[in-house]
Amino acid sequence: MKKTIFSLIGLLLVTFSFAQEDEVALILAQREASNQALRAFDEGLNATFSTPDAFITTGAGTLIAGNAALDAYIKSQKGPKMYWIRTPDEVIVNPKTNLAWETGAWKGYYEDSEKAVVGGKYSAQWTKASGTWLIHSQLFVTLEQ
């Protein structure tokens, strides 16, 4: 009986671990696709990786609420076009709430450049309420210039 209970617990832990890894892989794929959309300056495609009401705090501390406000913010920026790449360090999924935490480093590049001109740390909250992992909020802090 004792061996059966330990076997069952082990099976549940392995199943949970694989399910967790699958969800993390889905989030990482969404992040990579979002990075590629930003690099291609495809704001419309990039918006599909966020909930319509997503919150973003820019590296300078500006709070942006919703994809429409983000699009307007990007279009209002003066100077050379920039893109941003987020590199995750950690993703943690809570399967009970369909929420996930991502944290890592970000860097900003001028169009047609491979040399970062700004960067720092970021965190993101993901939600799977719609059945697909989407960003619900992101916080960027500029630490490098």
Side-chain angles (χ1 to χ4, degrees):
M1 177 70 169
K2 196 175 195 181
K3 187 176 181 181
T4 303
I5 290 173
F6 284 125
S7 295
L8 182 57
I9 290 171
L11 178 63
L12 289 173
L13 288 174
V14 167
T15 301
F16 177 78
S17 177
F18 284 129
Q20 184 87 323
E21 288 177 22
D22 289 346
E23 296 301 319
V24 169
L26 290 170
I27 291 168
L28 292 175
Q30 288 284 83
R31 175 56 74 199
E32 179 58 28
S34 173
N35 280 339
Q36 293 304 316
L38 285 169
R39 188 171 191 149
F41 297 97
D42 190 339
E43 287 85 15
L45 176 59
N46 188 55
T48 67
F49 300 105
S50 299
T51 62
D53 61 345
F55 289 98
I56 297 174
T57 303
T58 69
T62 302
L63 178 61
I64 302 167
N67 285 336
L70 177 60
D71 187 50
Y73 176 82
I74 290 171
K75 289 177 179 171
S76 74
Q77 298 304 296
K78 306 293 184 230
K81 288 172 75 172
M82 289 189 72
Y83 66 93
W84 301 269
I85 301 296
R86 288 75 41 97
T87 304
D89 292 329
E90 179 180 43
V91 176
I92 302 170
V93 175
N94 182 337
K96 292 179 183 176
T97 62
N98 281 324
L99 294 173
W101 164 266
E102 173 192 2
T103 189
W106 68 272
K107 292 185 178 185
Y109 303 82
Y110 289 124
E111 184 177 23
D112 298 325
S113 174
E114 296 294 322
K115 183 179 177 190
V117 294
V118 67
K121 293 290 196 173
Y122 78 93
S123 295
Q125 178 194 44
W126 291 80
T127 178
K128 196 177 180 186
S130 68
T132 301
W133 285 109
L134 298 174
I135 300 162
H136 185 64
S137 64
Q138 296 187 97
L139 167 66
F140 297 90
V141 178
T142 301
L143 300 171
E144 305 166 10
Q145 297 208 36

